């Protein structure tokens, strides 16, 4: 054990639980710390070191640096110094009650405990900041998860960037303890996020459909089949309104979009029928088409148990089948 005569040193410091303890022993009249006192000081330093070690492990597993970079980086710096100091003490445990330095009233053990407390305070602050961010900004995180799912950053870069910058600003404000200020602005911010979310979901589900509708409106199809083209447009508009009012009801959104796609197919199908009849008229081949349709209706009426109804018009035959069903 190292002996120091004629020196009087002491340090009152906080231990891990926040209580004050005396880790230095006065050497008066040539007296020196006992083995038991040195061992007790070493044990306190070791316990403090282990608790700081656990705190740093928590910081890593909880990714605290993503929430409070300043505190965590400062804690990492303190932890590096703590590791070095404890490694020195572990190599020479009998120096636990020696002065930490020539000009310091702190013991080696006391300095380790103090560094541990600083690490714990910093990591505790970072953990509190994370909890606050997750609690206050949970709806915001949910919005950004949806925006990323529907590639809002790619398709609406300016709007996305502005909202993301505001999100980062709010996180920093919460780290600084400005919760009331953040909460006062959240309603408007969430409304902006919802608006972008609606735009992203609309584009994802209806982008191609709306593009096809624009093509149809500028083509002969809209002139030949104005009411059918209008039906297709109205079905798509209904899907758009539904998205705006139920932006996360994806199952129903997909159903509305499916109906809109069917209307587009209907436009194409009827227009092809129109072209076929137009060509038949030009080539005097209407009879062949009429007979083909008549044969299909005959098969339908016979299967329905109505027999041969070819003496009726096509509309009357279909009405009879409908009544039978």
């Amino acid at each position: 054990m190292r002996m120091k005569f004629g020196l009087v040193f002491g340090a009152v410091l906080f231990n891990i639980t926040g209580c004050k303890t005396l880790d230095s022993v006065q050497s008066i009249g040539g007296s020196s710390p006992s083995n038991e006192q040195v061992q007790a000081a070493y044990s306190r330093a070791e316990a403090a070191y282990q608790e700081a070690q656990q705190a740093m492990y928590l910081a890593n597993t909880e990714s605290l640096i993503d929430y409070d970079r300043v505190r965590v980086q400062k804690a990492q710096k303190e932890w590096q110094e703590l590791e070095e100091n404890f490694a020195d003490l572990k190599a020479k445990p009998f120096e636990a009650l020696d002065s930490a330095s020539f000009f310091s009233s702190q013991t080696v053990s006391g300095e380790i405990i103090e560094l541990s407390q600083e690490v714990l305070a910093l990591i505790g602050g970072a953990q509190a900041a994370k909890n606050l961010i997750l609690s206050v900004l949970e709806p915001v995180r949910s919005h950004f998860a949806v925006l990323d799912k529907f590639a809002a950053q790619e398709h609406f870069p300016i709007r996305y960037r502005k909202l993301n910058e505001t999100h980062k600003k709010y996180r920093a404000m919460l780290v600084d303890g400005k919760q009331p200020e953040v909460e006062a602005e959240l309603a408007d911010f969430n409304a902006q996020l919802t608006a972008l979310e609606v735009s992203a979901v609309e584009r994802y589900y209806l982008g191609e459909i709306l593009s096809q509708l624009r093509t149809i409106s500028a083509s002969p199809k809209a002139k030949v089949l104005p009411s059918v083209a209008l039906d297709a447009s109205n079905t798509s508009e209904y899907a758009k309104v539904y998205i705006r009012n139920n932006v996360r009801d994806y199952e129903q959104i997909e159903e509305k979009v499916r109906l809109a796609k069917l209307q587009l197919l209907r436009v194409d199908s009827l227009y092809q029928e129109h072209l076929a009849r137009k060509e038949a008229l030009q080539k005097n081949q209407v009879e062949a088409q009429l007979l083909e349709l008549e044969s299909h209706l005959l098969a339908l009426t016979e299967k329905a148990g109505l027999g041969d109804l070819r003496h009726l018009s096509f509309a009357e035959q279909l009405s009879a089948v409908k009544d039978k069903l």
Side-chain angles (χ1 to χ4, degrees):
M1 182 184 302
R2 183 176 299 177
M3 308 293 289
K4 290 194 176 182
F5 299 98
L7 293 178
V8 179
F9 59 91
V12 179
L13 43 82
F14 289 96
N15 65 8
I16 300 307
T17 61
C19 300
K20 291 184 177 180
T21 183
L22 185 64
D23 234 5
S24 61
V25 177
Q26 293 181 339
S27 299
I28 301 178
S31 63
S32 61
S34 66
N35 289 337
E36 290 76 14
Q37 289 172 321
V38 173
Q39 180 59 47
Y42 177 83
S43 297
R44 286 192 291 272
E46 184 178 40
Y49 172 82
Q50 291 175 347
E51 193 161 355
Q53 188 178 49
Q54 292 173 359
M56 293 306 298
Y57 176 77
L58 174 70
N60 290 330
T61 57
E62 292 283 324
S63 301
L64 296 185
I65 198 168
D66 295 337
Y67 298 88
D68 192 343
R69 180 170 296 273
V70 173
R71 282 193 180 101
V72 173
Q73 287 182 336
K74 188 174 181 181
Q76 289 171 339
K77 185 177 180 181
E78 298 286 349
W79 169 246
Q80 185 177 2
E81 182 180 354
L82 175 57
E83 280 190 306
E84 293 172 358
N85 289 2
F86 185 73
D88 292 341
L89 176 60
K90 193 173 182 180
K92 300 177 181 179
F94 51 82
E95 293 185 354
L97 287 177
D98 283 4
S99 178
S101 66
F102 183 78
F103 298 102
S104 175
S105 62
Q106 189 76 282
T107 63
V108 173
S109 173
E111 186 174 64
I112 288 173
I113 292 173
E114 185 174 17
L115 282 171
S116 298
Q117 290 173 340
E118 292 174 3
V119 169
L120 288 173
L122 289 167
I123 297 303
Q127 180 68 64
K130 176 182 177 179
N131 292 341
L132 188 60
I133 288 171
L134 293 181
S135 173
V136 175
L137 298 181
E138 174 58 33
V140 175
R141 292 174 64 247
S142 176
H143 275 299
F144 273 102
V146 174
L147 292 176
D148 293 339
K149 175 182 177 181
F150 291 105
Q153 186 173 9
E154 176 184 352
H155 300 297
F156 306 93
I158 296 176
R159 293 169 67 186
Y160 184 95
R161 185 181 68 252
K162 288 181 178 179
L163 292 171
N164 193 40
E165 289 173 353
T166 302
H167 182 212
K168 291 178 180 178
K169 182 187 76 171
Y170 287 157
R171 286 167 62 105
M173 290 172 67
L174 289 173
V175 170
D176 293 337
K178 298 179 180 179
Q179 182 177 356
E181 292 90 330
V182 172
E183 290 179 336
E185 299 180 20
L186 272 184
D188 180 63
F189 185 53
N190 278 318
Q192 295 177 52
L193 286 166
T194 298
L196 179 54
E197 189 175 323
V198 166
S199 296
V201 173
E202 277 185 7
R203 189 195 180 285
Y204 180 84
Y205 283 109
L206 292 174
E208 181 62 27
I209 291 175
L210 296 176
S211 176
Q212 291 181 40
L213 282 172
R214 287 192 292 270
T215 300
I216 288 173
S217 67
S219 73
K221 295 177 183 179
K223 296 178 181 179
V224 173
L225 303 165
S227 62
V228 181
L230 182 60
D231 284 345
S233 178
N234 288 341
T235 305
S236 296
E237 184 63 27
Y238 177 67
K240 185 186 295 186
V241 171
Y242 189 87
I243 289 173
R244 291 174 182 173
N245 295 327
N246 309 272
V247 69
R248 296 188 185 178
D249 187 359
Y250 304 125
E251 184 175 345
Q252 285 300 312
I253 288 173
E254 289 172 357
E255 175 60 19
K256 304 298 183 293
V257 170
R258 186 186 70 83
L259 295 175
K261 289 179 179 178
L262 289 178
Q263 288 296 325
L264 289 177
L265 294 174
R266 178 175 172 235
V267 171
D268 287 338
S269 177
L270 288 174
Y271 188 71
Q272 291 304 316
E273 291 289 346
H274 159 72
L275 293 178
R277 280 161 173 70
K278 184 178 179 180
E279 183 178 2
L281 286 171
Q282 291 174 346
K283 295 181 178 180
N284 295 319
Q285 296 176 344
V286 176
E287 183 185 33
Q289 288 198 345
L290 290 175
L291 290 175
E292 182 182 3
L293 179 56
E294 184 185 56
S295 66
H296 289 311
L297 283 172
L298 176 61
L300 186 62
T301 57
E302 288 182 338
K303 190 169 184 179
L306 297 172
D308 187 349
L309 300 181
R310 284 179 293 179
H311 58 286
L312 301 176
S313 69
F314 291 160
E316 289 172 330
Q317 291 181 58
L318 288 173
S319 179
V321 172
K322 181 180 176 182
D323 292 341
K324 180 67 175 180
L325 297 177

